Amino acid sequence: MPKPTASQQRADLVLALVLFLGGLLSAVLSSISGLYGDQQGSLAIALVYVAVLALPIAVRRRWPSTAAVVVSIAYFLAVTFRIPELYAGNIAMFIALYTVGAWEPNRRRAAIVRVAIIVGMFAWLFVVMFQEATQPVDASLEGAFSRAGAFSPFVAYQLLMIGVNALFFGGAYYFGDRSHQQMRERAALEERTAELEAEREVTAAQAVALDRVRIARELHDVVAHHVSLMGVQAGVARSLLDRDPEAAREGLTGIEGSARTSLHELRQLLETLRTPGADSSPDTAPTTHGLTSIRALVDEADAAGLATTFTVIGDPPFDPPPLVQINLYRIAQEALTNARRHAGPDATADVRLRFTPDAVELEVSNTGRRGSSTPGLGQLGMRERAAVSGGSIEIGPRTRGGYLVRVRVPLIAAEAVRV
C-alpha cells in the first residue's frame, strides 16, 4: 500500500479547512434556527465540535482508523447532547469511513473499525427509535407523527431513516474498498512498469555487449585470417627473393591481393555499422561469403603452403540461411588459419562439407601439431558462431594425430534462424 504523498497531505489540510469553515457556517445557522428547540446546546460548544471534526480529517490518510474513531465519537456526542450542527458531522463521518476503507494498510483492522462503527451507529439508531416509539404521544404537539395504522407516518419515517443510514454507511464502505483496490492495482502497475523499464535497460546493455562481441569476433576473423596469410606469403617471398625473383614477385602479388580482400571486408563491415537503420549485427551484415566461398579458402590455404583438400558430400535439401552460411565460412576460415599457424610446415589439411537429410556439417582437420593447449579468441569465436546458428561444435586434437574442428547445424535449427 503506497504512503500518502506530500501533495495528498496538503489536499487533506485544504479539505479540513473547507470542512471547518463550512461547519462554522452550519453551526451558526443551526443555532440561529433553533434546531433542537429548548434542549439545544450552546454555539460555543458547536464551534469546538466543528474543530474536533476538522482536525482528524487533516491527518486522515496518515492515521485513518484513529481519525474515523474520533469523528464517530464526536458525532455521537454532538447528536446526543443536541449540539446545533448536523451537516458537517455527516460529511466528516462519510469521509472518515471512506478513508479507512481506502487507506488503512491493515485490512483486518480496516474491516473491524468500520463494522464496529456501523454496528454502533445502527444500535444507537434502534435505541433512539425504541425510545421514541414507547413515549406517549401528545396529539396537541404540532408536527408529531401519528402512530395509527399498520403503516403509520411514524413507522414510515423510521424506515426512511434506516434506509438513509444504510445507503450512507454502505456507500462509504463500498467506495472505500473500491478505492483501495484501485490504488493497489495502480501501485502494482507502477511497480511492473518500473520493472519493465529496468529490464529494458538491462536488455539494452546486453544488446550493446552482444554487438561488441559480434563486432570483435568479425574483426578477429577478417584480420587474423588475412594477416596470417600475408605473413606466410611474405615469408615465402623473402625466402625466394634471391634464388627465384619471379616466384617472389608472385608472392608479393598474393600479399597485395590478400590486403585488398581484407580492406574490402573491413569496409563492408564498417559501412553496414554506420548506415542509419541498418542491422548493426555483423552476423547478419550483407556479405558475398557463403558455403560456396569455402573452396576459395581452401585454394588460399593451398597456395600459402598448407596442402589442403576440399570435399562436398551430399546435396543440400535447401540453401541454409545467410547467417548459417557466413558462420560456417568463418569457422572454416579460422580453422585453416590456425592450421597454417600451428600445424607445422609438413602438415596437410582436409575440409569436408557434408549435407545429410537432417543437418549440414563442416569438418576441418589437419595432420600437424596440436598447437596451443590454451583456447584463444579464435576458438571462442567459433563456439559462439556455432551457438548462434543453433548447432554444436567439436574442437580438439584427434586420437590419431593432428587437430579437428567439426560443426553440425541441424536443418530445423537452420530453418529457425532463417525465420
Side-chain angles (χ1 to χ4, degrees), residues 89-234:
N90 282 293
I91 294 173
M93 275 290 297
F94 187 91
I95 293 174
L97 282 178
Y98 165 84
T99 304
V100 174
W103 284 92
E104 176 57 60
N106 188 327
R107 302 314 296 168
R108 179 181 177 85
R109 181 191 304 163
I112 292 175
V113 169
R114 288 180 295 170
V115 169
I117 292 175
I118 293 173
V119 170
M121 289 296 176
F122 270 96
W124 176 42
L125 176 63
F126 285 121
V127 169
V128 173
M129 289 171 56
F130 177 78
Q131 290 176 346
E132 292 182 355
T134 56
Q135 289 180 355
V137 178
D138 188 351
S140 63
L141 293 177
E142 183 180 355
F145 288 112
S146 172
R147 302 180 186 179
F151 198 69
S152 65
F154 175 79
V155 173
Y157 174 75
Q158 299 302 330
L159 291 176
L160 177 62
M161 293 299 295
I162 293 174
V164 169
N165 279 276
L167 290 175
F168 179 87
F169 291 110
Y173 198 106
Y174 170 78
F175 287 116
D177 277 351
R178 181 61 181 166
S179 179
H180 178 78
Q181 181 64 28
Q182 290 175 346
M183 283 190 290
R184 288 186 59 186
E185 292 174 355
R186 185 163 55 251
L189 180 60
E190 291 174 354
E191 182 180 357
R192 181 56 179 161
T193 301
E195 291 177 355
L196 290 175
E197 181 65 20
E199 184 177 346
R200 185 191 66 80
E201 293 178 359
V202 171
T203 302
Q206 290 176 341
V208 172
L210 287 175
D211 279 345
R212 292 179 61 184
V213 170
R214 291 168 179 170
I215 294 170
R217 183 171 62 235
E218 190 75 8
L219 288 174
H220 173 272
D221 290 345
V222 172
V223 174
H225 168 73
H226 291 290
V227 170
S228 174
L229 182 60
M230 286 187 289
V232 172
Q233 291 170 333

Side-chain angles (χ1 to χ4, degrees), residues 43-346:
L43 178 59
I45 297 178
L47 298 180
V48 174
Y49 165 62
V50 170
V52 172
L53 290 178
L55 288 176
I57 298 301
V59 294
R60 65 187 183 96
R61 295 183 213 250
R62 296 179 63 185
W63 301 292
S65 296
T66 303
V69 171
V70 172
V71 169
S72 300
I73 294 175
Y75 180 78
F76 170 78
L77 294 176
V79 176
T80 301
F81 294 102
R82 304 293 195 272
I83 296 176
E85 203 297 306
L86 289 178
Y87 299 106
N90 282 293
I91 294 173
M93 275 290 297
F94 187 91
I95 293 174
L97 282 178
Y98 165 84
T99 304
V100 174
W103 284 92
E104 176 57 60
N106 188 327
R107 302 314 296 168
R108 179 181 177 85
R109 181 191 304 163
I112 292 175
V113 169
R114 288 180 295 170
V115 169
I117 292 175
I118 293 173
V119 170
M121 289 296 176
F122 270 96
W124 176 42
L125 176 63
F126 285 121
V127 169
V128 173
M129 289 171 56
F130 177 78
Q131 290 176 346
E132 292 182 355
T134 56
Q135 289 180 355
V137 178
D138 188 351
S140 63
L141 293 177
E142 183 180 355
F145 288 112
S146 172
R147 302 180 186 179
F151 198 69
S152 65
F154 175 79
V155 173
Y157 174 75
Q158 299 302 330
L159 291 176
L160 177 62
M161 293 299 295
I162 293 174
V164 169
N165 279 276
L167 290 175
F168 179 87
F169 291 110
Y173 198 106
Y174 170 78
F175 287 116
D177 277 351
R178 181 61 181 166
S179 179
H180 178 78
Q181 181 64 28
Q182 290 175 346
M183 283 190 290
R184 288 186 59 186
E185 292 174 355
R186 185 163 55 251
L189 180 60
E190 291 174 354
E191 182 180 357
R192 181 56 179 161
T193 301
E195 291 177 355
L196 290 175
E197 181 65 20
E199 184 177 346
R200 185 191 66 80
E201 293 178 359
V202 171
T203 302
Q206 290 176 341
V208 172
L210 287 175
D211 279 345
R212 292 179 61 184
V213 170
R214 291 168 179 170
I215 294 170
R217 183 171 62 235
E218 190 75 8
L219 288 174
H220 173 272
D221 290 345
V222 172
V223 174
H225 168 73
H226 291 290
V227 170
S228 174
L229 182 60
M230 286 187 289
V232 172
Q233 291 170 333
V236 173
R238 183 177 56 187
S239 64
L240 297 175
L241 185 60
D242 294 332
R243 66 176 182 270
D244 193 348
E246 186 64 26
R249 187 178 298 108
E250 291 179 359
L252 294 175
T253 303
I255 295 174
E256 182 181 358
S258 297
R260 282 198 300 268
T261 302
S262 177
L263 289 174
H264 172 73
E265 293 190 19
L266 288 173
R267 186 180 298 110
Q268 183 183 47
L269 174 61
L270 293 175
E271 287 177 354
T272 301
L273 294 175
R274 299 178 70 174
T275 300
D279 187 350
S280 61
S281 171
D283 288 324
T284 57
T287 178
T288 58
H289 294 310
L291 297 181
T292 57
S293 301
I294 295 179
R295 184 174 295 277
L297 289 176
V298 172
D299 294 339
E300 286 183 359
D302 194 62
L306 177 67
T308 308
T309 59
F310 179 57
T311 307
V312 178
I313 304 171
D315 297 319
F318 62 85
D319 287 335
L323 174 59
V324 174
Q325 293 198 43
I326 183 61
N327 283 336
L328 292 178
Y329 171 86
R330 293 300 187 194
I331 291 173
Q333 184 183 60
E334 179 64 23
L336 290 174
T337 299
N338 290 340
R340 287 197 303 270
R341 293 174 58 188
H342 303 296
D346 298 328

Side-chain angles (χ1 to χ4, degrees), residues 29-53:
L29 295 178
S30 299
S31 179
I32 294 174
S33 65
L35 181 65
Y36 291 112
D38 296 338
Q39 299 179 346
Q40 180 171 285
S42 66
L43 178 59
I45 297 178
L47 298 180
V48 174
Y49 165 62
V50 170
V52 172
L53 290 178

